[in-house]
Amino acid sequence: MKTALLVLALTLAAAPVRAQGAMDSAMGLWRTVDDKTGRERALVRIFEANGAFYGRIERLFDPAAAGRVCDKCEDDRKGKPLVGLDIVRGLRRDGEGSWGRGEILDPESGSVYRASARLAEGGRQLVVRGSVLGGLVGRSQTWLRAE
């Protein structure tokens, strides 16, 4: 009985540490928001592989888009379903709470842009930027942590 209580106490004590650690990283589930309409578009899971961060679409909120494929893509993602598609590739840590040197795909146009990301609002938001011309021209979106 004492052992069970000790395990429970240690588990509860460690919970805030795990939660805070999650807020310091881009890894996790994010809600993307259309910057033109303000509507949620998708859930994207950011994960780490081979020392870099990637983002994969896990769910689309528009039921009409659920079966769509990336028909405008020109790389290995051409013809692949949007759900399960890696739209962020190769982000590398630039500093505390920021990543760069990656790429992001716009599945609507098939265009691939240079990507960077940074945490905001204590880790509750991820500001994702796609750009061209060395970052001179681009667009940022704010994604909301879903977990």
Side-chain angles (χ1 to χ4, degrees):
M1 180 70 165
K2 286 183 183 179
T3 305
L5 289 175
L6 180 61
V7 170
L8 178 61
L10 289 174
T11 302
L12 292 175
V17 173
R18 280 194 306 270
Q20 180 59 43
M23 298 298 270
D24 294 342
S25 173
M27 287 193 302
L29 193 61
W30 297 90
R31 292 180 183 275
T32 68
V33 179
D34 187 301
D35 49 350
K36 294 176 185 149
T37 67
R39 283 192 248 163
E40 292 179 335
R41 298 204 55 191
L43 288 177
V44 174
R45 168 91 46 202
I46 302 290
F47 60 96
E48 187 174 5
N50 301 318
F53 288 88
Y54 296 80
R56 179 174 295 144
I57 297 174
E58 284 199 356
R59 176 180 172 208
L60 297 170
F61 289 111
D62 179 3
R68 288 190 40 219
V69 299
C70 194
D71 53 2
K72 294 184 179 176
C73 291
E74 296 181 2
D75 58 13
D76 61 303
R77 295 171 278 204
K78 184 167 184 66
K80 301 263 174 81
L82 294 184
V83 174
L85 195 68
D86 287 347
I87 60 168
V88 176
R89 290 181 170 173
L91 283 176
R92 304 229 180 248
R93 185 173 295 277
D94 278 345
E96 190 63 35
S98 66
W99 298 265
R101 302 181 314 255
E103 66 178 35
I104 188 164
L105 167 73
D106 176 358
E108 297 291 320
S109 68
S111 298
V112 177
Y113 301 96
R114 186 176 198 184
S116 61
R118 66 177 171 78
L119 291 172
E121 297 297 320
R124 293 182 301 277
Q125 296 179 352
L126 184 67
V127 179
V128 180
R129 182 164 179 80
S131 61
V132 293
L133 300 174
L136 294 175
V137 178
R139 186 174 101 202
S140 296
Q141 284 188 336
T142 300
W143 297 359
L144 309 173
R145 192 176 291 276
E147 298 177 316

